[in-house]
Each structure stands twice: as structure tokens, then as C-alpha cells.
Amino acid sequence: MATVHNLIALAIAFTALVAVVSPATYKEGDQVTVYVNKVGPYFNPHETYHYYQLPVCRPEKIEHKSLTLGEVLDGDRMAHSLYDIKFRTDVPSKKVLCNVKYTQKELDILRSAIEDLYYFEFVLDDIPIRGFIGHLEEGGFLPHNHKIYLWAHLHFNIEYNKDHIIYANVTTKDQLPISLDGATTPMELVFTYSVKWMNTDLSYEDRGTRLRDNSFFPKNLEIHWLSIINSLVLVFLLIGFVVIIMTRVLKSDFARYNIEDEEDADDLDSDDNGWKIIRTDVFRFPPNKNLFCAILGVGSQFLALATGILLMAMAGMFNVHRHGAINAAAVVLYAFTSSISGYVASNMFKKMGGENWVWNINLTSALFALPFFLVWAVINSVAWAYGTTRALPASTVILLMALWVFIGYPLTVLGGIFGKNYAGSFAAPCRTKNIAREIPDVPWYRSAVAHCAIGGFLPFSAISVELYYIFATLWGREQYTLFGILFVVYGILLSVTACISIALTYFQLSAEDYRWWWRSIFSAGSTGVFVFLYALFYYYKRSNMSGLLQTLEFLGYTALTCYVFFLMLATVSFFASLKFVRYIYVNIKMD
Ligand SMILES: *[C@@H]1O[C@H](CO)[C@@H](O)[C@H](O)[C@H]1NC(C)=O
């Protein structure tokens, strides 16, 4: 039953992504529902608890609001509150919300929440309203002490325009806070609230901007245009250099090879060197074809997914003041783009002469889903043990699994069958000899490790400026709105990867090493390692996150993200190299 409910919720979530939600209208005196949502430490954006887990005013019977998938994924758990607010009806003087009698244990819970700088989030007409639970006053230096205060009065400011609510916030400072130090139990507290309605000229469409400009969370997302432009220029120069040098070098190579061909075609192998000499090996298929093709398949799927999400975001399909919509869209799109991974993987597998396509498709569908599931299972179990709202409820878990089992997996298989049936031959420009050539030793700067360092670092440096913003969006509470820039950076990342990959493959082939297949995967894929190192730096230096749960979640999901980077860039890198290798070997005269 819960699953059916959730499936409906999912359908609604998905339509909500696409359709514009029609605004709620009120008449004077209409009830305006305030939902309580979550609480959590201010600096741990992904550690949130249900509001009613704190000892606060709560109704006799807690009634939950049904949520969309995006909201559930974002840790939202909304429930009705006791606040009685009527449209355009002020509550000028303090109105009693409830009395709470505290036991020692409850008081301790409240105290430690205030010490951890807990904030709360309510939702009023889809507008998140946030404020601090209490107030911490740092006292003397030696001996160190601090004073703990609780805000027991909330003042709601609500702006309206005709029959719409445009903006709302709460202020806590209208009444002095209550000191919780040295309080004796049982202690009785009175919670109160007041409401002020204000007319505004802002239209309903401006709600988003109004919310962004008055965010409760710090806005450190000043875009450093100069550094972004700087990195763009560098990247264009880099790409330009690579292209110019490669074309010149290739031109002279072609000239040399094709003249040599005419002069002494008979004993070419004896005094020739460079990439032409390995033409009988360069199209020798690599070992572990199965895994190789699976990586390309899943990489292609994520390329499509990332492009799709960015395009949707640019088209303004996501509600900007709520995070979850993008997560929900990613989950749904992941399931629906699975056919791409199946198609690409089994198509390539067949071309490379692979036999057991069933195993290949299964490997493809597990390549991301399995690590994801494992990481998620560990994090979710810990979150469950902590009792946070980040732990997905069982019904959502079932829904997500159903999404994979009934949509993701079948589509992978379907794509795989199509891919296998439509695969032509590999059509290599040169015949591969049965016996492999010996590979000469290379100096250290041409080794695989050096290639991975270069191939990973350059694409990483192209995006490093932007990475900070991406992390701040994913792991902070900033709303990323410059999807246009992100799209440009994404395009640049892929172009740099392709260029570097081609250059490195060229160097490798000139050193008469024909094992470029796996090398091209790892040289560019190693960007993921750099991104992970950056993430560690971000976690320890730039964020104030702490605690086991938050650390685990950060490391787990960051590792997965870097894995996705690896898959995407490896795919771009390999296909770019493949095109390049085909191109150069088609263009030399064969004997
Ligand atoms: C809350 O809203 C009121 C009225 O709209 C505004 O004057 C006030 O500055 C806001 N407070 C905060 C902290 O944003």
C-alpha cells in the first residue's frame, strides 16, 4: 500500500519537475498551515532530524504530510504544527503555543542541541522558514564556560500580495531568550508566538529571488568571475596548443612514412620506428574486454544523464529553493537512461569479438548500481541508527529498488539486445598479426603512472575553480543557479579530456607501445582521484562538517561521485583516442 502511495508520489514528483505548480490562493481569515520539518546542526547540512525529536511543543497526535520523492530524498519530514495562523490576520501580542514541563533528560537534549547550533526549519506555503533553536554565549576564556539560552518566542513576518503569500520568515529576538543554565527540574516553559502580515508589491514569480536574497544560511557563493574566465582562457590555449602541435607532428609523420614507403617499401621494418611500426598490433583487443565494455557503457549512460540534468536545470525545471528535485530527477533519469549503458556496452563487446553477452549486460548493470547500493546501505544503516531524517524510510527504499528492478535493469537488457544485434564489425584499418610484438622499455616520463598524473591533472585543473561551487552546492546549502556556467565548464572538461587523451595516446604509440586501450581509460579517468583529493581538502579546510555520520556520508557519496567522474571521462577519453588511432592508421599508405 505504501509502495502504491509512493509510486503516485513519484509520478507527482515527476510531473512537478516538468509542470509549473499553480500558486496557492487565500482569502482573509483562511487557515495558513505551518508544517514543522527538520532540525539539525547548522554546519552539517546532511544531518537532519525530525523536529518533534526535540522536546518542543507538539500536538497530541502527530500528523505527517505526504511528501514527494525529492522531498524524502532531501531529508524532509513534514508534520502539522500547533501554530494557528490566519491569512492577513495579525497576532500582535504573544499568543501561547503550549506549556512544556521538562525532565532532566529532556533538558539535556535541548541543551546539547543548542550547543551544536541546531536550527529548525518550518514550511509555510512551500516557503522554508528557518531559525535557531537557541543561542550560545561564549563566556570567559579561563576557565572557559558558555551560557545556553533558548528562544521561546517566535515572531512570524509574512508578506502577501493580494491573495498570495510571497515571503515569510521568523525572528526570534523580539523577546529575551530564556537561560537554561542552572535550571532546576522539573522546569516549566511557555512557548509563544506572534504574527505580522505585510503587504508587498513583489509578484508571485519573484518568490524565488526574494528567498535567495534573504537566505538563513551564509551566502559565500560569490562567483569569482575573473578566476573562471582565467581558467577558461588557459583551457582554450591548452586545447589550441595540443591541436596545433598534433596536426604539425602528424603532418611530418605522414610525410616521412609515405616517402619512406615509396623509397624502400621492402625493408620497412628494419630501420623504421615510431607508431607506424606497431600497426599490426595497435588494434589488438585488450584483455578483460568484458569489464572494458561495461565501463564504456556506464560511462556513456552518465554522460547522457549529466547532459540531461544540466539541460533541464538550465531550462529552469527545478524549484530553486528546494534541493530534492534534482536528486529525484537524477534517480528517475538514471533508471530511464539504463538502456544507453546496455546498448553501448554490448555493441562494443560484440564488435570486439566478445562471446558471453549475457554476462556482459549483467556486469554493465551492476557496475554502478552495486557499489552505489553498498555505500548507500552502510550510510543509511548508520543514519537509521542515529535516527536522522536522512535515513530513507522503508517505503522509499522499496520504491527505489522497484525503479531499478522494473525499469533500470530491463532497460539495460533491452538496450543490450539491440546493441548486440546492431553491432557491425570493428573494421580496423590494419590487420592484426597473431604474434604480439615486444614492447620496448620506456623512460619514466612515458610510464603509465606519469600518463595518469598528466591525464588526470589537466582536466582537473580545468574544473578546479568550479569544483568549490559544486561542492558548496552539494554539501552546503547554497543554491547553485548558474547552470549555464556549469554547462560550459562541463563542455570544457570533456574537450580537455579528449585532447589530452589524444596527445597521450600519440606519445604512447610513438614509443611503440600498443596497449593504449586500457591506458586511455585510466589516464583520463584518474581525474576522479584528483577530485577525491580535492574533496578531502574541502572537507577538512572549507567545511565545518563533523561527526561520524556526516563524515561517512561525505566520504561515501564523494567516492561515488568520483567513480562517476572516472566512468564518464574514461569513456570520453577512450572514444577520442579510438577516433584518433583510426584516423592516423587509415591515413598511412599500407604495403
Ligand atoms: C524578515 O522579514 C521581515 C519582513 O519581510 C524583514 O523586515 C526582516 O528583515 C526579515 N528578517 C530576516 C532575518 O531576514
Side-chain angles (χ1 to χ4, degrees):
M1 202 52 221
T3 324
V4 175
H5 179 183
N6 258 291
L7 275 174
I8 296 168
L10 173 75
I12 294 171
F14 201 62
T15 10
L17 288 176
V18 181
V20 181
V21 187
S22 69
T25 56
Y26 299 91
K27 285 193 300 295
E28 182 158 352
D30 276 359
Q31 185 75 32
V32 177
T33 318
V34 179
Y35 294 104
V36 298
N37 192 11
K38 48 196 176 183
V39 290
Y42 187 74
F43 290 114
N44 282 6
H46 289 244
E47 182 177 348
T48 50
Y49 301 88
H50 196 292
Y51 183 70
Y52 287 145
Q53 272 167 284
L54 284 184
V56 286
C57 291
R58 65 185 98 170
E60 298 268 296
K61 191 172 162 291
I62 294 175
E63 259 180 88
H64 284 272
K65 177 177 186 276
S66 64
L67 299 172
T68 62
L69 178 66
E71 288 169 333
V72 176
L73 292 181
D74 201 25
D76 285 348
R77 304 289 183 271
M78 293 187 217
H80 285 265
S81 70
L82 290 173
Y83 296 100
D84 178 22
I85 296 181
K86 299 221 155 50
F87 192 68
R88 287 176 57 188
T89 312
D90 283 355
V91 181
S93 57
K94 282 191 262 173
K95 188 166 168 184
V96 175
L97 184 67
C98 77
N99 292 318
V100 187
K101 264 205 194 74
Y102 284 110
T103 62
Q104 187 62 41
K105 197 166 152 242
E106 286 170 331
L107 208 56
D108 288 344
I109 294 178
L110 208 55
R111 275 210 195 103
S112 73
I114 296 171
E115 278 175 333
D116 287 342
L117 297 182
Y118 267 46
Y119 72 97
F120 63 83
E121 181 181 300
F122 296 162
V123 177
L124 187 155
D125 190 38
D126 270 339
I127 301 172
I129 304 182
R130 303 178 180 113
F132 282 105
I133 302 283
H135 169 65
L136 200 64
E137 202 174 274
E138 293 296 333
F141 174 57
L142 267 177
H144 179 78
N145 61 4
H146 56 244
K147 297 193 178 113
I148 298 172
Y149 296 100
L150 175 77
W151 301 111
H153 176 78
L154 292 186
H155 178 71
F156 288 85
N157 299 297
I158 310 175
E159 294 177 9
Y160 66 93
N161 183 356
K162 299 200 190 78
D163 49 0
H164 297 312
I165 295 176
I166 307 297
Y167 175 72
N169 70 12
V170 289
T171 43
T172 45
K173 307 220 162 96
D174 305 66
Q175 183 200 305
L176 286 179
I178 294 169
S179 171
L180 294 187
D181 296 292
T184 48
T185 50
M187 180 190 184
E188 185 161 343
L189 279 183
V190 186
F191 286 87
T192 54
Y193 67 101
S194 52
V195 185
K196 176 129 187 67
W197 288 87
M198 278 160 281
N199 201 351
T200 175
D201 296 332
L202 284 177
S203 66
Y204 192 84
E205 287 67 43
D206 295 328
R207 266 168 66 130
T209 2
R210 182 80 175 84
L211 281 170
R212 250 200 316 285
D213 294 345
N214 286 278
S215 170
F216 173 68
F217 299 115
K219 283 188 288 281
N220 50 9
L221 263 192
E222 279 169 42
I223 299 295
H224 304 113
W225 287 102
L226 213 58
S227 52
I228 289 180
I229 292 171
N230 196 10
S231 80
L232 291 190
V233 170
L234 280 179
V235 163
F236 279 122
L237 282 179
L238 178 78
I239 297 178
F241 276 133
V242 170
V243 171
I244 291 170
I245 292 174
M246 288 309 290
T247 39
R248 293 191 74 122
V249 167
L250 277 181
K251 216 162 145 192
S252 77
D253 277 356
F254 286 140
R256 181 162 63 99
Y257 285 148
N258 291 341
I259 287 170
E260 271 171 10
D261 257 9
E262 281 154 27
E263 281 173 358
D264 50 3
D266 32 20
D267 66 347
L268 183 131
D269 278 11
S270 57
D271 61 353
D272 197 7
N273 58 21
W275 50 265
K276 184 178 180 181
I277 205 168
I278 52 168
R279 65 182 179 280
T280 51
D281 289 293
V282 80
F283 292 104
R284 187 183 300 287
F285 295 128
N288 301 322
K289 275 181 234 168
N290 220 324
L291 182 61
F292 190 84
C293 296
I295 289 176
L296 297 180
V298 182
S300 309
Q301 179 188 356
F302 275 106
L303 285 170
L305 182 64
T307 313
I309 294 268
L310 280 173
L311 287 178
M312 282 167 80
M314 271 172 29
M317 284 192 188
F318 302 118
N319 186 348
V320 286
H321 54 273
R322 290 231 162 262
H323 264 205
I326 292 192
N327 296 348
V331 167
V332 175
L333 272 183
Y334 173 78
F336 281 100
T337 49
S338 292
S339 51
I340 298 178
S341 68
Y343 182 88
V344 174
S346 89
N347 188 276
M348 202 65 199
F349 190 61
K350 182 81 188 294
K351 279 185 185 166
M352 285 164 64
E355 298 286 326
N356 192 348
W357 63 275
V358 176
W359 169 224
N360 181 248
I361 289 176
N362 282 329
L363 183 67
T364 305
S365 61
L367 196 67
F368 177 75
L370 195 65
F372 177 80
F373 181 75
L374 290 179
V375 169
W376 171 84
V378 170
I379 293 172
N380 211 50
S381 312
V382 177
W384 237 321
Y386 270 63
T388 90
T389 57
R390 299 298 303 188
L392 296 184
S395 54
T396 311
V397 175
I398 293 171
L399 169 76
L400 293 181
M401 288 200 175
L403 206 59
W404 191 78
V405 172
F406 294 115
I407 299 177
Y409 185 71
L411 280 181
T412 315
V413 175
L414 204 67
I417 291 171
F418 269 99
K420 168 179 81 79
N421 292 343
Y422 285 101
S425 76
F426 190 81
C430 321
R431 225 173 318 111
T432 303
K433 281 198 183 144
N434 282 337
I435 298 155
R437 239 182 103 87
E438 216 176 302
I439 298 162
D441 284 336
V442 290
W444 65 268
Y445 58 86
R446 283 187 153 172
S447 65
V449 177
H451 273 197
C452 287
I454 301 170
F457 182 73
L458 288 178
F460 167 77
S461 65
I463 56 166
S464 60
V465 176
E466 200 65 4
L467 264 185
Y468 174 76
Y469 301 108
I470 297 174
F471 274 94
T473 313
L474 291 177
W475 293 101
R477 302 192 171 85
E478 283 78 12
Q479 300 299 332
Y480 200 101
T481 43
L482 296 171
F483 288 105
I485 294 193
L486 204 55
F487 195 72
V488 172
V489 171
Y490 173 72
I492 283 181
L493 173 66
L494 301 190
S495 341
V496 171
T497 304
C499 280
I500 299 298
S501 160
I502 288 173
L504 290 177
T505 300
Y506 175 80
F507 289 133
Q508 188 185 12
L509 296 182
S510 337
E512 295 167 19
D513 183 348
Y514 50 81
R515 297 166 305 182
W516 60 277
W517 304 71
W518 277 105
R519 179 78 68 88
S520 70
I521 294 272
F522 284 110
S523 65
S526 65
T527 306
V529 177
F530 285 93
V531 174
F532 192 75
L533 293 179
Y534 178 84
L536 292 184
F537 163 78
Y538 175 85
Y539 187 79
Y540 288 109
K541 294 286 182 212
R542 291 285 175 273
S543 79
N544 287 305
M545 296 184 240
S546 61
L548 170 72
L549 177 63
Q550 184 68 68
T551 308
L552 207 62
E553 194 172 344
F554 183 85
L555 292 184
Y557 287 134
T558 304
L560 281 179
T561 313
C562 295
Y563 179 50
V564 170
F565 262 93
F566 166 80
L567 294 172
M568 289 200 313
L569 298 184
T571 305
V572 171
S573 166
F574 170 72
F575 281 116
S577 286
L578 178 63
K579 251 217 134 47
F580 171 74
V581 173
R582 265 188 199 282
Y583 169 78
I584 60 173
Y585 284 94
V586 163
N587 278 292
I588 50 171
K589 280 191 198 147
M590 293 299 157
D591 31 328

